[in-house]
Structures are given as C-alpha cells and as structure tokens.
C-alpha cells in the first residue's frame, strides 16, 4: 500500500497525526473529581445567578520569554524558516484572571511573579470589582500561601475567598488555555529583541481579547 493509502486508512480508523503533550502524573483523580463537583455547585449558585455581590475568577501567573518556543510552520522546500536570536533572554511575568461567565479578563504585567507582585494583582482586582466578593480559583504555588498574602487576606477577608485547585491539576484551570493562546500568538516562532518588544506584543494581544470576550470563552471551552 502507498503512504497516502495508509494515511487515509488510519484516518478512517479515527486516528490522526498529532504531537504528544505532557501531563502531570501525580494528580489525584479522586480529588480532581471532588473539586469538579464542588465547582459545579458553586457555578450553579454563583455564575448562573451572576449578581452584583460576587464574581468567580480563575487566576494564575505565567512568564513570557523571548526564546520560549519554535513550532512547525509552512515554508518553501529547502528554505527552512530562520528566527533571529539576539543572544539574551528577556522575559515578562504576567498575572491574569478570567471570568468564565462573560469572558472578561484582567491582566497585570510585572518584572517577576512573587508574593509582593501577587498582592499588587489582588489590589488591582479589588479596584476592578469594588464592593464584591471575589471567589478566586488558583493553584497551590508558594506565593499564593506566602505570609504577607495571608496577612493581607485577614485584613481584606470580606473581599476575597480562595479556592485552591487539587495539586498537579492545571487542566482544571481554564486560564491555562488563555496562556497557551497568548504564547501561540506572541512568541511562537518569534524572537523579541528586548523586554519592551515583548510588552508591546502582549499589549496587542490584550487589546484583542478585551474586544472579543465571546472568542475568549470559546478558547477556554466555556462558551454556551
């Protein structure tokens, strides 16, 4: 059989040529299922009745590096695409929050992701959603449990309620798909000459998604 005939046969068998992806093997399936049930109850009582008193946000932080990723792309035969490098590794840290009810996003750029900059992000959320209870779904990163964060929450307890994801469960946080979209748009097959160049690219992406909340929900798998 020819290669093309084999390809068609495999497609008919429901197979496709795809690149494997990493998955965290340490996650506890029982804890993940229990968390999903808990979130279903919260969504039924909070999101579907979205009031002016509370808002549910999935939050996380990421790093955008100038050398992050090269991916396959179309190019002329014998002329491999060349991505220039400048010999340094500029980066931007980014905190983000997304509302899976309406697709609204809040993004905060900073030079590093640590407890102090995380507090800056929480204060930013408080300004965005004044006089509302913010239910924040987040992972168990060390900065989320830092002493200064706990002290801040004791003072601002009426504003925030943290829901921690089960360990090793990034697939339960929809904002991870926003980060993938961001990196596919900003840094795939591109090498930015400096940090300011990265910031400009991120800013263009942020403007794009702020004008298209419905597309955000589709990308997150939360539409409809």
């Amino acid at each position: 059989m020819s290669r093309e005939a084999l390809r068609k046969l495999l497609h008919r068998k429901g197979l496709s040529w795809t690149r494997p992806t990493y998955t965290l093997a340490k996650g506890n399936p029982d804890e993940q299922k229990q968390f999903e049930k808990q979130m279903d109850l919260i969504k039924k009582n909070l999101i579907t009745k979205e009031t002016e008193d509370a808002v549910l946000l999935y939050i996380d932080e990421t790093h955008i590096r100038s050398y992050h990723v090269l991916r396959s792309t179309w190019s002329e035969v014998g002329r491999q695409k060349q991505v220039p490098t400048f010999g340094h590794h500029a980066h931007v840290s980014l905190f983000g929050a997304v509302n899976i009810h309406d697709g609204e996003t809040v993004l905060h750029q900073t030079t590093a992701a640590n407890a102090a900059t995380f507090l800056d992000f929480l204060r930013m959320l408080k300004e965005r959603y004044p006089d509302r209870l913010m239910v924040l779904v987040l992972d168990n990163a060390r900065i989320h449990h830092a002493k200064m964060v706990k002290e801040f929450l004791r003072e601002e307890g009426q504003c925030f309620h943290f829901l921690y994801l089960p360990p090793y469960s990034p697939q339960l946080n929809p904002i991870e798909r926003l980060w993938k979209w961001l990196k596919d748009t900003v840094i795939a097959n591109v090498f930015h000459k400096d940090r300011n160049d990265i910031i400009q690219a991120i800013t263009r992406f942020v403007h794009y998604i702020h004008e298209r909340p419905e597309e955000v929900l589709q990308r997150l798998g939360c539409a409809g």
Side-chain angles (χ1 to χ4, degrees), residues 71-83 189:
R71 292 188 176 153
S72 300
T73 184
W74 290 104
S75 59
E76 293 182 33
V77 175
R79 297 186 63 182
Q80 185 181 28
K81 183 175 181 179
Q82 304 293 312
V83 179
N189 296 334

Side-chain angles (χ1 to χ4, degrees), residues 112-123:
N114 53 42
T117 53
F118 178 51
L119 285 183
D120 291 338
F121 181 57
L122 293 180
R123 295 185 182 100

Side-chain angles (χ1 to χ4, degrees), residues 174-193:
I175 200 172
E176 295 285 355
R177 293 186 279 279
L178 180 68
W179 294 151
K180 182 180 184 303
W181 182 17
L182 168 64
K183 293 174 181 179
D184 286 345
T185 302
V186 171
I187 58 175
N189 296 334
V190 176
F191 199 102
H192 298 284
K193 62 182 180 181

Side-chain angles (χ1 to χ4, degrees), residues 102-223:
D102 58 15
E104 183 179 23
T105 57
V106 182
L107 298 176
H108 173 56
Q109 296 179 24
T110 183
T111 56
N114 53 42
T117 53
F118 178 51
L119 285 183
D120 291 338
F121 181 57
L122 293 180
R123 295 185 182 100
M124 182 178 178
L125 291 177
K126 184 180 177 182
E127 291 181 4
R128 176 66 68 92
Y129 302 102
D131 303 320
R132 298 181 74 176
L133 170 65
M134 284 165 277
V135 180
L136 306 183
V137 182
L138 68 170
D139 63 25
N140 285 274
R142 187 174 299 176
I143 64 173
H144 300 157
H145 294 277
K147 181 179 179 180
M148 65 172 62
V149 174
K150 293 179 180 178
E151 292 174 352
F152 175 81
L153 292 177
R154 280 195 291 270
E155 297 174 0
E156 305 289 343
Q158 72 278 13
C159 299
F160 298 98
H161 178 72
F162 281 13
L163 287 175
Y164 291 103
L165 291 158
Y168 306 105
S169 303
Q171 75 279 9
L172 298 181
N173 193 341
I175 200 172
E176 295 285 355
R177 293 186 279 279
L178 180 68
W179 294 151
K180 182 180 184 303
W181 182 17
L182 168 64
K183 293 174 181 179
D184 286 345
T185 302
V186 171
I187 58 175
N189 296 334
V190 176
F191 199 102
H192 298 284
K193 62 182 180 181
D194 54 30
R195 186 172 183 274
N196 185 59
D197 202 28
I198 302 174
I199 291 174
Q200 290 181 17
I202 294 173
T203 300
R204 289 192 294 270
F205 177 81
V206 171
H207 288 163
Y208 180 90
I209 64 173
H210 281 174
E211 296 176 355
R212 296 167 176 83
E214 292 183 0
E215 186 174 350
V216 171
L217 292 176
Q218 291 174 351
R219 289 276 187 160
L220 299 184
C222 302

